[in-house]
Amino acid sequence: MNSERQRRECEFQLLRYVPDAVRNEYVHIGVILREAESEDQPARTEVRFTHDWRRVKCLDPDADTALLESMESELRQRLADPPLDREAPGRLMRILEESLSLNVQMTSPRRTWPRACRQGWKS
């Protein structure tokens, strides 16, 4: 199998916790990774959050980490059913806007060409 065939375009956005929008200090708490659709595999979207909340607590001792953890579960569930497809390009953004709290922001999408996005998705 040649290396070009294994490379698939992916897009990612970082999720950041911003307790005070005026100060604009933040901590990255998660990532959303979208793999481009191919002929043999449908597109896939994955959400991962940190499970080490020490940096969040340093920035905001009153942060509700249980809420942040539940946000990951909600996003995973909403992204999985029904699967995202190219016919609904705005669906992902609507889900994220509805699910994220005011203290969580997304970076602009960035593209990357890793060898295989799915390798990093194994739990």
Side-chain angles (χ1 to χ4, degrees):
M1 187 179 288
N2 72 35
S3 62
E4 286 304 311
R5 206 165 151 225
Q6 292 178 358
R7 292 176 60 111
R8 302 218 15 221
E9 183 177 7
C10 292
E11 184 176 86
F12 69 94
Q13 290 177 272
L14 297 174
L15 299 173
R16 52 174 67 151
Y17 179 73
V18 185
D20 185 346
V22 174
R23 290 191 340 221
N24 198 29
E25 296 176 332
Y26 60 86
V27 174
H28 289 121
I29 61 168
V31 66
I32 299 168
L33 182 64
R34 286 182 297 281
E35 185 177 47
E37 189 171 341
S38 71
E39 292 177 16
D40 60 335
Q41 293 181 332
R44 181 174 172 179
T45 301
E46 186 69 31
V47 177
R48 293 287 171 103
F49 275 43
T50 185
H51 293 279
D52 181 354
W53 300 104
R54 290 178 291 187
R55 294 183 67 205
V56 169
K57 287 294 195 177
C58 283
L59 187 60
D60 179 10
D62 298 323
D64 187 350
T65 56
L67 175 69
L68 295 172
E69 287 175 354
S70 68
M71 194 179 299
E72 177 184 20
S73 299
E74 179 185 353
L75 282 171
R76 280 176 187 253
Q77 179 181 7
R78 292 190 65 191
L79 290 170
D81 186 36
L84 291 174
D85 59 25
R86 63 178 172 226
E87 301 300 320
R91 181 170 171 260
L92 175 62
M93 290 308 296
R94 284 193 305 279
I95 289 171
L96 294 172
E97 289 169 358
E98 292 169 2
S99 300
L100 298 178
S101 78
L102 294 176
N103 292 354
V104 178
Q105 300 174 349
M106 287 182 297
T107 63
S108 298
R110 298 180 192 161
R111 294 187 188 272
T112 185
W113 288 87
R115 290 271 176 225
C117 294
R118 294 176 193 267
Q119 287 178 345
W121 289 349
K122 296 176 183 172
S123 297

